[in-house]
Amino acid sequence: MYPKMANCKTNRRVYVETYGCQMNLADSELVGGILAKEGYAFTSDLETADVALINTCAIRDNAERRIHGRLGLFNAQKRRNPDLVVGILGCMAERLREKFLDQENLVDIVVGPDEYRKLPSLIEHAAGGEKGIAVRLSRVETYDDIEPLRTEGVSAWVSVMRGCDKFCTFCVVPFTRGRERSRPFSTVVEEVRSLAEQGFKDVTLLGQNVNSYADGDHDFADLMRAVADVDRQLRIRFTTSHPQDMSDRLIEAISTTDNICKYIHLPVQSGSDRILTLMNRTYSVDGYLALVEKIRSAIPGVSLTTDTISGFPGETDEDHRLTLALMKAVKYDGAYTFKYSPRERTRAWEMGDIVADELKTARVGEILALQRDLSREINQQFVGRSERILVEGPSKKSAQEYTGRTDTNRTVVFPHVQEQPGEYITVKIARANSATLFGIRA
Ligand code: 5AD
Ligand code: SF4
């Protein structure tokens, strides 16, 4: 996963496994940067590791059971190599520290998302037999001075803000990642400049609620314009945004800057006003549809995707029907569809009115089927068109085929001749299904 490091002071090799969202993947790159500076090397093979870390995500599903299973495997390795230091990082750290560290003795160190700077010393101490915990949240930590350890390639993430103050009632993020804080404007721009110089072609600005970014007088629209100005050959994207913070200034920046991708992930969560209020989402269905209208008229051809949650406490058949109706009205280009997972500490946890799991599954199934039809229909309209794509590399299915992406974030598969990752090419779309466009070099 990580490049091997020469010049290793400690001789220790670290294995990192990452779960969850892009923020978490970016955090693992930060952890890599912090440890690399101390001379650690990295391995993608657990059996050769001296330190095994698991970066956890607590947002949905039975993530805990999965992490438990992985830690079991790490401990089997620890029986073969008693010097192995095992640690959990990230969103689950605070809540599970007692269970995994004291009760079950599954880990040596537990480190929350704002305490990664302590990792080197915690690992040192753990190697000497001392268990360690660092799970405090910070109001200021942004790791602004840490250079993430990225794998080489076409695409890079830049984390520009951390935490979330929105407190949607279903979501554990404000509790596990803490309050919102933004990195300084100038260092983000400098980091993007350095990425462009290193040959990256596609940069995604990341934050749990990225469009509420603020540094002094600079808002997210200013930041997007400034990073887009760094290099016009660089594609700029962002995720993930809250409808409430989708400002006119940001819409204008996307519409008038050619290297800002015409793609917005705009999670709606539900199509029922009653549920949106219970979720504390701060917008109504009409307000959301008006925003979509405004975005579409300002940015012709823009691609819109969403997140939905099925089975929020008290969600009725009628609420679900309203979500399907909203999806048809918007005609999203894509949707991520989740079953509601109760999370301790959130307000929804207290709400009772539990929706049966089979019903959640059935509703998710209906949303997925609808979205598949919508995506197929939309993608069919691309057949015959020419699209400029950024080449990413070999496709998963065949070495003779490469993939690239359009400005609207559609994946295009095409026969490979001599195209190189990072190159822009034009392809003519020959056919399409709900997930992929298939093209030939124009
Ligand atoms: N249950 C299900 N989905 C959730 N999400 C966040 N919290 C929960 C939860 N408790 C989803 C939302 C959010 C996405 C990142 O994860 O749809 O937009
Ligand atoms: Fe969670 Fe809502 Fe914040 Fe997104 S905006 S991270 S769903 S609290």
Side-chain angles (χ1 to χ4, degrees):
M1 185 161 79
Y2 290 120
K4 298 220 166 67
M5 301 295 295
N7 192 12
C8 170
K9 278 186 272 176
T10 71
N11 287 323
R12 289 211 189 93
R13 287 161 173 267
V14 186
Y15 170 87
V16 186
E17 208 167 277
T18 308
Y19 292 86
C21 62
Q22 284 166 323
M23 288 288 287
N24 240 25
L25 291 164
D27 271 12
S28 285
E29 292 182 345
L30 273 176
V31 164
I34 290 168
L35 293 176
K37 224 158 88 183
E38 298 298 316
Y40 283 82
F42 296 87
T43 173
S44 51
D45 175 13
L46 177 61
E47 292 189 4
T48 63
D50 305 290
V51 181
L53 302 174
I54 186 157
N55 191 359
T56 59
C57 167
I59 210 161
R60 289 183 299 267
D61 306 330
N62 36 25
E64 211 170 290
R65 204 177 320 146
R66 198 168 53 211
I67 298 297
H68 208 262
R70 295 304 298 164
L71 287 176
L73 200 87
F74 286 15
N75 275 272
Q77 174 63 17
K78 193 167 174 136
R79 284 191 284 281
R80 291 188 285 273
N81 168 17
D83 292 333
L84 180 70
V85 172
V86 175
I88 63 168
L89 314 178
C91 291
M92 277 189 194
E94 205 272 328
R95 205 168 69 74
L96 293 183
R97 63 182 177 185
E98 268 179 27
K99 180 172 152 74
F100 287 168
L101 198 131
D102 303 332
Q103 295 163 12
E104 300 189 20
N105 197 24
L106 277 175
V107 297
D108 304 297
I109 54 175
V110 178
V111 190
D114 287 345
E115 300 252 53
Y116 295 144
R117 286 178 199 272
K118 293 192 179 147
L119 256 174
S121 80
L122 288 165
I123 293 172
E124 281 305 315
H125 285 102
E130 201 182 309
K131 304 231 167 200
I133 300 180
V135 291
R136 244 182 261 159
L137 289 174
S138 158
R139 284 190 176 250
V140 291
E141 178 64 272
T142 60
Y143 299 108
D144 189 50
D145 57 319
I146 304 288
E147 191 182 340
L149 188 62
R150 298 185 168 94
T151 41
E152 283 158 44
V154 176
S155 304
W157 297 297
V158 176
S159 170
V160 303
M161 57 83 70
R162 297 178 73 83
C164 181
D165 288 350
K166 287 285 186 288
F167 287 93
C168 302
T169 59
F170 52 81
C171 185
V172 78
V173 164
F175 305 97
T176 57
R177 286 189 166 266
R179 308 310 295 269
E180 267 175 35
R181 62 227 107 109
S182 296
R183 286 179 60 190
F185 185 86
S186 57
T187 50
V188 173
V189 175
E190 276 321 302
E191 184 169 342
V192 172
R193 196 180 310 282
S194 150
L195 290 172
E197 280 163 14
Q198 289 167 50
F200 286 97
K201 289 289 186 316
D202 169 45
V203 169
T204 304
L205 302 190
L206 286 184
Q208 217 74 50
N209 190 14
V210 77
N211 49 345
S212 69
Y213 173 92
D215 176 31
D217 291 339
H218 294 302
D219 66 5
F220 190 60
D222 296 329
L223 186 68
M224 288 291 286
R225 283 188 195 277
V227 298
D229 273 348
V230 162
D231 179 349
R232 289 281 167 210
Q233 288 302 305
L234 206 56
R235 270 187 180 174
I236 308 294
R237 297 188 279 150
F238 63 100
T239 203
T240 180
S241 43
H242 191 294
Q244 186 189 321
D245 297 317
M246 202 66 214
S247 68
D248 291 354
R249 283 169 51 76
L250 180 55
I251 296 170
E252 200 195 326
I254 301 168
S255 117
T256 55
T257 315
D258 57 355
N259 60 330
I260 297 181
C261 288
K262 309 300 175 245
Y263 164 66
I264 304 174
H265 183 58
L266 197 66
V268 70
Q269 313 299 356
S270 170
S272 154
D273 281 336
R274 197 180 69 81
I275 295 292
L276 288 174
T277 305
L278 288 172
M279 287 176 162
N280 187 33
R281 286 294 289 182
T282 72
Y283 50 82
S284 64
V285 170
D286 281 352
Y288 183 92
L289 289 174
L291 176 61
V292 166
E293 200 44 55
K294 184 158 68 175
I295 292 171
R296 287 214 166 120
S297 56
I299 316 168
V302 66
S303 166
L304 290 177
T305 57
T306 197
D307 293 341
T308 63
I309 297 180
S310 289
F312 184 83
E315 186 190 64
T316 61
D317 284 343
E318 174 61 8
D319 294 320
H320 169 60
R321 204 189 54 72
L322 288 167
T323 301
L324 293 172
L326 175 124
M327 297 192 58
K328 279 188 210 150
V330 175
K331 280 214 175 109
Y332 287 109
D333 297 270
Y336 300 88
T337 306
F338 308 112
K339 283 203 273 185
Y340 168 69
S341 321
R343 285 295 176 259
E344 247 175 295
R345 294 201 277 178
T346 60
R347 272 169 45 213
W349 173 264
E350 316 287 335
M351 285 182 192
D353 242 338
I354 292 160
V355 175
D357 194 57
E358 309 83 76
L359 201 49
K360 287 184 197 170
T361 307
R363 288 177 182 169
V364 162
E366 281 181 36
I367 295 176
L368 278 175
L370 169 61
Q371 184 56 51
R372 206 172 304 124
D373 288 348
L374 292 173
S375 297
R376 189 179 307 112
E377 201 182 300
I378 294 169
N379 282 353
Q380 284 305 331
Q381 296 166 8
F382 281 79
V383 175
R385 284 198 213 166
S386 289
E387 287 286 318
R388 183 169 181 257
I389 63 170
L390 178 60
V391 177
E392 293 188 335
S395 88
K396 275 182 227 135
K397 290 195 183 141
S398 147
Q400 276 82 52
E401 290 182 322
Y402 265 37
T403 65
R405 247 182 308 166
T406 66
D407 168 60
T408 52
N409 212 34
R410 290 185 167 80
T411 300
V412 182
V413 172
F414 62 94
H416 179 237
V417 183
Q418 55 189 20
E419 298 80 4
Q420 293 303 313
E423 198 183 320
Y424 287 100
I425 61 166
T426 301
V427 288
K428 188 152 185 212
I429 307 303
R431 63 191 175 90
N433 62 29
S434 62
T436 311
L437 306 177
F438 298 86
I440 40 175
R441 189 87 192 247

Short mmCIF file of all heavy atoms in Angstrom, two decimals, residues 59 163-174 208-209 240 242 269 281, ligand 2:
data_model
loop_
_atom_site.label_atom_id
_atom_site.label_comp_id
_atom_site.label_asym_id
_atom_site.label_seq_id
_atom_site.Cartn_x
_atom_site.Cartn_y
_atom_site.Cartn_z
N ILE A 59 -19.41 4.74 11.17
CA ILE A 59 -20.60 5.46 10.71
C ILE A 59 -21.82 4.56 10.52
O ILE A 59 -22.92 4.95 10.84
CB ILE A 59 -20.26 6.30 9.45
CG1 ILE A 59 -21.14 7.54 9.39
CG2 ILE A 59 -20.36 5.54 8.18
CD1 ILE A 59 -20.61 8.64 8.52
N GLY A 163 -13.96 17.36 11.14
CA GLY A 163 -15.08 17.44 12.07
C GLY A 163 -16.35 17.93 11.42
O GLY A 163 -16.39 18.23 10.22
N CYS A 164 -17.41 18.00 12.22
CA CYS A 164 -18.70 18.45 11.71
C CYS A 164 -19.53 19.02 12.85
O CYS A 164 -19.57 18.45 13.93
CB CYS A 164 -19.44 17.28 11.06
SG CYS A 164 -21.02 17.78 10.37
N ASP A 165 -20.18 20.15 12.57
CA ASP A 165 -21.05 20.80 13.57
C ASP A 165 -22.53 20.66 13.24
O ASP A 165 -23.36 21.31 13.85
CB ASP A 165 -20.74 22.31 13.64
CG ASP A 165 -19.41 22.59 14.30
OD1 ASP A 165 -18.82 21.66 14.86
OD2 ASP A 165 -18.96 23.75 14.25
N LYS A 166 -22.87 19.86 12.25
CA LYS A 166 -24.25 19.84 11.79
C LYS A 166 -25.17 19.02 12.72
O LYS A 166 -26.36 19.28 12.78
CB LYS A 166 -24.33 19.27 10.37
CG LYS A 166 -23.82 20.24 9.31
CD LYS A 166 -24.82 21.34 9.07
CE LYS A 166 -24.43 22.25 7.93
NZ LYS A 166 -23.29 23.12 8.24
N PHE A 167 -24.65 18.02 13.34
CA PHE A 167 -25.45 17.19 14.27
C PHE A 167 -26.75 16.67 13.65
O PHE A 167 -27.83 16.84 14.21
CB PHE A 167 -25.74 17.96 15.57
CG PHE A 167 -24.51 18.08 16.45
CD1 PHE A 167 -23.69 19.20 16.37
CD2 PHE A 167 -24.16 17.05 17.33
CE1 PHE A 167 -22.54 19.30 17.13
CE2 PHE A 167 -23.01 17.16 18.11
CZ PHE A 167 -22.20 18.27 18.02
N CYS A 168 -26.65 16.08 12.48
CA CYS A 168 -27.79 15.32 11.97
C CYS A 168 -28.08 14.25 13.01
O CYS A 168 -27.14 13.66 13.57
CB CYS A 168 -27.43 14.67 10.63
SG CYS A 168 -26.92 15.89 9.40
N THR A 169 -29.34 13.97 13.27
CA THR A 169 -29.65 13.17 14.47
C THR A 169 -29.25 11.70 14.35
O THR A 169 -29.23 10.99 15.34
CB THR A 169 -31.15 13.26 14.80
OG1 THR A 169 -31.89 12.78 13.67
CG2 THR A 169 -31.56 14.69 15.13
N PHE A 170 -28.97 11.24 13.11
CA PHE A 170 -28.59 9.84 12.93
C PHE A 170 -27.07 9.63 13.00
O PHE A 170 -26.60 8.51 13.01
CB PHE A 170 -29.10 9.31 11.58
CG PHE A 170 -28.71 10.20 10.42
CD1 PHE A 170 -27.46 10.11 9.85
CD2 PHE A 170 -29.60 11.13 9.91
CE1 PHE A 170 -27.09 10.94 8.80
CE2 PHE A 170 -29.25 11.96 8.86
CZ PHE A 170 -27.99 11.87 8.31
N CYS A 171 -26.32 10.72 13.02
CA CYS A 171 -24.90 10.62 12.65
C CYS A 171 -23.94 10.76 13.84
O CYS A 171 -24.05 11.68 14.65
CB CYS A 171 -24.57 11.67 11.60
SG CYS A 171 -22.89 11.52 11.00
N VAL A 172 -22.98 9.86 13.88
CA VAL A 172 -22.06 9.82 15.01
C VAL A 172 -20.81 10.69 14.78
O VAL A 172 -20.03 10.92 15.69
CB VAL A 172 -21.69 8.32 15.26
CG1 VAL A 172 -20.66 7.82 14.26
CG2 VAL A 172 -21.27 8.07 16.68
N VAL A 173 -20.67 11.19 13.54
CA VAL A 173 -19.44 11.92 13.19
C VAL A 173 -19.11 13.09 14.13
O VAL A 173 -17.96 13.22 14.57
CB VAL A 173 -19.47 12.37 11.71
CG1 VAL A 173 -18.42 13.43 11.42
CG2 VAL A 173 -19.25 11.17 10.81
N PRO A 174 -20.09 13.96 14.49
CA PRO A 174 -19.73 15.06 15.38
C PRO A 174 -19.16 14.58 16.72
O PRO A 174 -18.41 15.30 17.37
CB PRO A 174 -21.06 15.80 15.58
CG PRO A 174 -21.85 15.48 14.35
CD PRO A 174 -21.48 14.06 14.01
N GLN A 208 -15.63 16.43 6.04
CA GLN A 208 -16.89 15.78 6.37
C GLN A 208 -18.06 16.64 5.91
O GLN A 208 -19.12 16.18 5.59
CB GLN A 208 -16.96 15.60 7.89
CG GLN A 208 -17.60 14.31 8.29
CD GLN A 208 -16.69 13.14 8.06
OE1 GLN A 208 -15.54 13.17 8.47
NE2 GLN A 208 -17.16 12.11 7.39
N ASN A 209 -17.78 17.94 5.89
CA ASN A 209 -18.80 18.90 5.51
C ASN A 209 -18.05 20.03 4.80
O ASN A 209 -18.00 21.16 5.26
CB ASN A 209 -19.44 19.37 6.82
CG ASN A 209 -20.65 20.17 6.59
OD1 ASN A 209 -21.19 20.18 5.49
ND2 ASN A 209 -21.08 20.84 7.61
N THR A 240 -17.45 15.95 1.09
CA THR A 240 -18.86 15.84 0.73
C THR A 240 -19.58 17.08 1.20
O THR A 240 -19.14 17.71 2.16
CB THR A 240 -19.48 14.58 1.35
OG1 THR A 240 -20.84 14.44 1.01
CG2 THR A 240 -19.32 14.54 2.83
N HIS A 242 -22.97 19.61 2.27
CA HIS A 242 -24.29 19.68 2.88
C HIS A 242 -25.10 20.70 2.08
O HIS A 242 -24.60 21.80 1.81
CB HIS A 242 -24.15 20.11 4.34
CG HIS A 242 -25.42 19.94 5.12
ND1 HIS A 242 -26.55 20.68 4.86
CD2 HIS A 242 -25.74 19.11 6.15
CE1 HIS A 242 -27.51 20.30 5.69
NE2 HIS A 242 -27.05 19.35 6.49
N GLN A 269 -30.69 12.36 1.89
CA GLN A 269 -31.04 11.46 3.00
C GLN A 269 -32.47 10.96 2.95
O GLN A 269 -32.72 9.77 3.16
CB GLN A 269 -30.75 12.07 4.39
CG GLN A 269 -29.40 12.73 4.56
CD GLN A 269 -28.20 11.82 4.37
OE1 GLN A 269 -28.35 10.62 4.17
NE2 GLN A 269 -26.99 12.37 4.43
N ARG A 281 -32.00 17.98 9.27
CA ARG A 281 -31.23 18.27 8.06
C ARG A 281 -31.32 19.74 7.64
O ARG A 281 -30.63 20.14 6.71
CB ARG A 281 -31.69 17.36 6.90
CG ARG A 281 -31.23 15.93 7.02
CD ARG A 281 -29.71 15.79 6.91
NE ARG A 281 -29.22 16.03 5.58
CZ ARG A 281 -27.92 15.91 5.24
NH1 ARG A 281 -27.01 15.58 6.15
NH2 ARG A 281 -27.54 16.15 4.01
FE1 SF4 B 2 -22.91 13.45 9.81
FE2 SF4 B 2 -24.72 15.31 9.09
FE3 SF4 B 2 -22.18 16.03 9.66
FE4 SF4 B 2 -22.69 14.67 7.40
S1 SF4 B 2 -23.44 16.75 7.89
S2 SF4 B 2 -21.02 14.25 8.89
S3 SF4 B 2 -24.36 13.31 8.06
S4 SF4 B 2 -23.66 15.15 11.10
#
